[in-house]
């Protein structure tokens, strides 16, 4: 096991109360809603509301920027969710993409063995052991009924392609985006004329029929992944792995995640997936424990070899510099857009006492915040003030998400914006009509600065740029 050197054993996790607060704030303010709520909901699917979709898009954009925009060696891809069924045979998913399931003999509830109280730390070998439930005396956590021995439960969703519902027409909803990148390795490499090492990055929906979903958007049955596959010469894979791992850890820190709530955890040899040579998770200290945010894997040449064998297509790479032909190794960085968005939300949640009142804010990085700026009138009864607000907001909207709100007094308007993480507020008052200046308020410091109307966009952009420079330097 490895842990990050900066790991602070006393790091305080966000509390379970924080989790409940985030779930209710998400619903109330429009970040995340339970899916199909008017029908009583559907387990393990969540919908992103007006603010949530902005946050998640910003998370995805931030990832895309660091993976593709700022690099010369990674290209993007958007493969289909449905793929040829043999893809999943070759990848090993049909045979072994499963979790250990136990069933209660009295209430018939099903559980993932490694999520039962007392079984969380079982090794991968123990989880496959038929006698483990009896040996440990594990009982149903709901009604204390007897539990079955574990059996492997395949997590892939199946459906049928075409108008006939028969075995031959079964297709799967992809459980990961990675395979779309592997089967397009040649297409992407040759069309973009990239030389090794080079990567393919994808963001998209994946589906897993999780046995015990839960903890809000942490574990869902429909979710979004952000995965990058880096194709390298075999002898370079180990070094590339060690380069990608700290880079990925740094990404979360750069966007503001509390460093002491992040750590690295290496998979034990018996925990490694069938394809992996080495795997390290970037973990976050959620209220429900240290859990994976992202997995960085050295997958060897397993994937391209298997797809070569199964498809009959030669997926070797020809290196013009050395005249060698070989199957590249793959270093993968596999993250979740929902888990990342959730982490940014819960980690940025702040409560503080200000003048005898509790001020709630989300200290989101400005690039992640749903709205960058709110334009607020001090007196909504004065039409000239409202007019100026709209003129400023309309101009800002051309470059960033900006919003106008006049449905409360200014103190309450600020608190509302703080609570959804808006980094800047612009307030127009009576003086603005005389001196052509407005107040720019900062969410985190609550400092206010008087700025001429024509300089307001620049001032906000400069502050956003400064926050970005902190990323580059961080
Ligand atoms: P876990 O151990 O939590 O089940 P995993 O090791 O199966 O995760 P990977 O297959 O490595 O996860 O998937 C890459 C990333 O996709 C994960 O780090 C996570 O951020 C995200 N992810 C995986 N499963 C889910 C899910 N059910 N809901 C939300 N995000 C998920």
């Amino acid at each position: 096991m490895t842990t990050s050197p900066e790991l602070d054993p006393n790091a305080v996790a966000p509390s379970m109360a924080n989790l409940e607060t985030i779930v209710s704030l998400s619903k109330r303010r429009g970040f995340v809603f339970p899916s199909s709520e008017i029908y009583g909901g559907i387990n393990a699917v969540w919908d992103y509301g007006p603010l949530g979709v902005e946050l998640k898009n910003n998370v995805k954009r931030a990832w895309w920027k660091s993976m593709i925009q700022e690099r010369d060696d990674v290209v993007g891809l958007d493969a289909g969710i449905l793929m040829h069924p043999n893809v999943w045979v070759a990848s090993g998913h049909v045979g072994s993409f499963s979790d250990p399931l136990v069933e209660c003999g009295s209430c018939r509830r099903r559980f993932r063995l490694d999520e039962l109280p007392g079984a969380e730390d079982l090794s991968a070998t123990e989880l496959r052991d038929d006698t483990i439930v009896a040996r440990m005396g594990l009982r149903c956590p709901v009604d204390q009924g007897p539990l079955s021995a574990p059996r492997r439960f395949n997590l892939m969703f199946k459906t049928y392609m075409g108008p006939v519902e028969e075995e031959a027409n079964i297709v799967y909803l992809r459980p990961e985006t990675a395979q779309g990148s592997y089967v397009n390795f040649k297409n992407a490499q040759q069309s973009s004329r990239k030389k090794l090492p080079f990567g393919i990055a994808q963001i998209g929906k994946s589906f897993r029929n999780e046995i015990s979903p839960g903890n809000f958007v942490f574990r869902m049955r429909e979710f979004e992944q952000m995965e990058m596959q880096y194709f390298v010469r075999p002898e370079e894979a180990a070094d590339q792995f060690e380069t990608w791992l700290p880079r990925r850890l740094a990404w979360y820190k750069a966007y503001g995640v509390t460093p002491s709530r992040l750590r690295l955890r290496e998979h034990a040899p018996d925990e490694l997936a069938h394809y992996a040579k080495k795997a390290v998770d970037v973990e976050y200290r959620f209220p429900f424990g240290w859990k994976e945010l992202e997995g960085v894997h050295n997958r060897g040449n397993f994937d391209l070899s298997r797809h070569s064998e199964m498809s009959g297509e030669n997926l070797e790479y020809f290196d013009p510099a050395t005249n060698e032909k070989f199957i590249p190794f793959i270093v993968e960085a596999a993250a979740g857009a929902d888990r990342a968005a959730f982490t940014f939300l819960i980690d940025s949640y702040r409560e503080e006492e200000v003048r005898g009142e509790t001020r709630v804010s989300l200290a989101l990085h400005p690039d992640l915040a749903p709205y960058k700026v709110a334009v607020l009138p001090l007196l909504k009864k004065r039409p000239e003030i409202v007019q100026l607000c709209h003129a400023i907001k309309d101009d800002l909207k051309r470059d960033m998400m900006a919003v106008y709100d006049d449905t409360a007094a200014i103190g309450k308007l600020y608190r509302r914006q703080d609570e959804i993480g808006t980094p800047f507020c612009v307030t127009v008052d009576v003086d603005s009509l005389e001196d052509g200046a407005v107040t720019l308020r900062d969410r985190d410091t609550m400092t206010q600065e008087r700025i001429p109307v024509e300089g307001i966009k620049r001032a906000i952009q400069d502050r956003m740029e400064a926050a970005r420079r902190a990323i580059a330097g961080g």
Side-chain angles (χ1 to χ4, degrees):
M1 304 268 156
T2 55
T3 48
S4 338
E6 60 274 74
L7 175 64
D8 170 3
N10 302 316
V12 180
S15 66
M16 277 318 266
N18 274 4
L19 175 60
E20 283 153 31
T21 311
I22 287 293
V23 174
S24 76
L25 187 152
S26 293
K27 170 89 198 296
R28 187 164 42 81
R29 300 307 311 272
F31 281 95
V32 178
F33 309 128
S35 163
S36 322
E37 199 181 6
I38 60 168
Y39 286 96
I42 175 170
N43 201 3
V45 186
W46 295 85
D47 296 342
Y48 286 79
L51 296 184
V53 65
E54 296 299 333
L55 170 66
K56 194 157 94 153
N57 279 344
N58 291 339
V59 169
K60 291 189 282 184
R61 209 172 283 130
W63 186 88
W64 198 262
K65 183 163 177 267
S66 78
M67 278 298 177
I68 294 177
Q69 185 182 326
E70 294 179 344
R71 300 187 65 91
D72 298 325
D73 55 352
V74 180
V75 294
L77 183 80
D78 183 11
I81 286 171
L82 301 175
M83 301 181 76
H84 193 289
N86 282 350
V87 168
W88 307 108
V89 178
S91 68
H93 283 79
V94 170
S96 61
F97 188 58
S98 54
D99 278 337
L101 177 142
V102 292
E103 186 169 329
C104 171
S106 74
C107 72
R108 297 276 154 220
R109 281 192 181 82
R110 293 171 162 200
F111 304 94
R112 206 171 122 171
L113 175 56
D114 55 338
E115 287 182 352
L116 286 178
E120 298 98 333
D121 295 327
L122 290 178
S123 70
T125 311
E126 288 167 321
L127 290 172
R128 276 189 285 269
D129 178 351
D130 282 351
T131 65
I132 191 77
V133 170
R135 279 198 294 116
M136 290 185 67
L138 294 169
R139 309 290 293 185
C140 172
V142 178
D143 68 357
Q144 299 303 309
L147 291 173
S148 67
R151 69 177 172 86
R152 304 304 300 186
F153 175 78
N154 195 297
L155 301 183
M156 281 201 294
F157 277 99
K158 284 181 195 166
T159 187
Y160 299 95
M161 191 141 205
V164 186
E165 291 192 9
E166 61 180 23
E167 195 72 4
N169 292 335
I170 284 182
V171 288
Y172 301 95
L173 301 189
R174 68 177 176 201
E176 61 176 33
T177 65
Q179 301 301 326
S181 298
Y182 304 148
V183 299
N184 277 297
F185 164 64
K186 279 232 145 143
N187 285 336
Q189 186 259 322
Q190 290 176 353
S191 60
S192 60
R193 287 173 281 109
K194 294 286 178 200
K195 296 198 173 66
L196 256 51
F198 102 105
I200 301 179
Q202 258 199 99
I203 297 180
K205 284 274 170 107
S206 293
F207 302 81
R208 295 182 188 180
N209 199 6
E210 298 279 2
I211 298 167
S212 37
N215 286 325
F216 196 38
V217 298
F218 176 82
R219 191 179 300 288
M220 301 191 281
R221 294 198 168 116
E222 172 178 343
F223 55 98
E224 219 167 348
Q225 291 187 304
M226 311 187 287
E227 298 193 300
M228 192 283 310
Q229 316 299 322
Y230 203 62
F231 301 88
V232 301
R233 295 181 65 92
E235 66 275 17
E236 289 173 3
D239 282 351
Q240 286 289 355
F241 180 93
E242 300 305 331
T243 312
W244 276 102
L245 185 60
R247 192 180 281 154
R248 292 307 307 146
L249 178 66
W251 184 80
Y252 293 96
K253 291 184 190 167
Y255 281 98
V257 177
T258 308
S260 57
R261 290 177 182 164
L262 289 167
R263 74 172 186 188
L264 300 177
R265 189 184 70 84
E266 181 164 359
H267 286 211
D270 69 346
E271 189 191 352
L272 283 177
H274 55 278
Y275 53 77
K277 294 203 171 317
K278 182 170 181 180
V280 176
D281 290 342
V282 178
E283 293 191 333
Y284 178 74
R285 195 164 177 197
F286 287 97
F288 38 88
W290 286 103
K291 298 281 175 193
E292 171 178 339
L293 268 184
E294 168 160 355
V296 181
H297 311 126
N298 176 353
R299 304 178 63 116
N301 64 7
F302 175 84
D303 306 283
L304 292 184
S305 304
R306 291 288 293 153
H307 286 306
S308 253
E309 278 163 32
M310 189 105 192
S311 66
E313 189 77 26
N314 183 356
L315 295 178
E316 282 176 321
Y317 172 78
F318 173 68
D319 190 335
T322 60
N323 272 337
E324 287 170 283
K325 271 187 171 175
F326 57 88
I327 301 239
F329 271 36
I330 293 169
V331 174
E332 170 188 55
D338 310 276
R339 258 183 219 184
F342 176 30
T343 303
F344 291 122
L345 258 185
I346 196 158
D347 196 74
S348 67
Y349 183 82
R350 308 269 184 278
E351 274 181 20
E352 60 185 323
E353 283 297 303
V354 177
R355 287 187 290 280
E357 275 187 46
T358 306
R359 181 175 92 108
V360 168
S361 66
L362 294 180
L364 289 168
H365 187 284
D367 277 346
L368 301 181
Y371 295 128
K372 310 307 172 198
V373 53
V375 184
L376 313 169
L378 199 67
L379 278 178
K380 71 168 174 178
K381 288 198 188 94
R382 291 283 296 268
E384 316 92 286
I385 292 184
V386 172
Q387 219 174 7
L388 182 52
C389 279
H390 281 293
I392 295 172
K393 181 252 316 165
D394 289 343
D395 181 47
L396 289 169
K397 262 177 178 285
R398 277 193 272 273
D399 296 280
M400 63 190 81
M401 285 297 290
V403 66
Y404 169 81
D405 190 7
D406 67 5
T407 55
I410 192 70
K412 189 149 186 210
L413 293 179
Y414 283 150
R415 279 200 296 282
R416 273 189 202 157
Q417 295 301 326
D418 289 343
E419 198 189 22
I420 60 171
T422 309
F424 308 106
C425 287
V426 169
T427 310
V428 179
D429 55 26
V430 183
D431 290 344
S432 309
L433 304 174
E434 301 300 320
D435 64 5
V438 291
T439 302
L440 180 62
R441 174 187 179 268
D442 182 282
R443 174 196 65 202
D444 298 331
T445 59
M446 288 189 288
T447 50
Q448 307 197 358
E449 205 179 319
R450 206 71 189 157
I451 294 185
V453 170
E454 58 278 11
I456 203 76
K457 186 188 281 180
R458 188 69 273 149
I460 294 171
Q461 284 170 334
D462 285 349
R463 284 163 172 76
M464 304 266 305
E465 191 49 43
R468 265 176 230 134
R469 271 202 302 278
I471 297 180

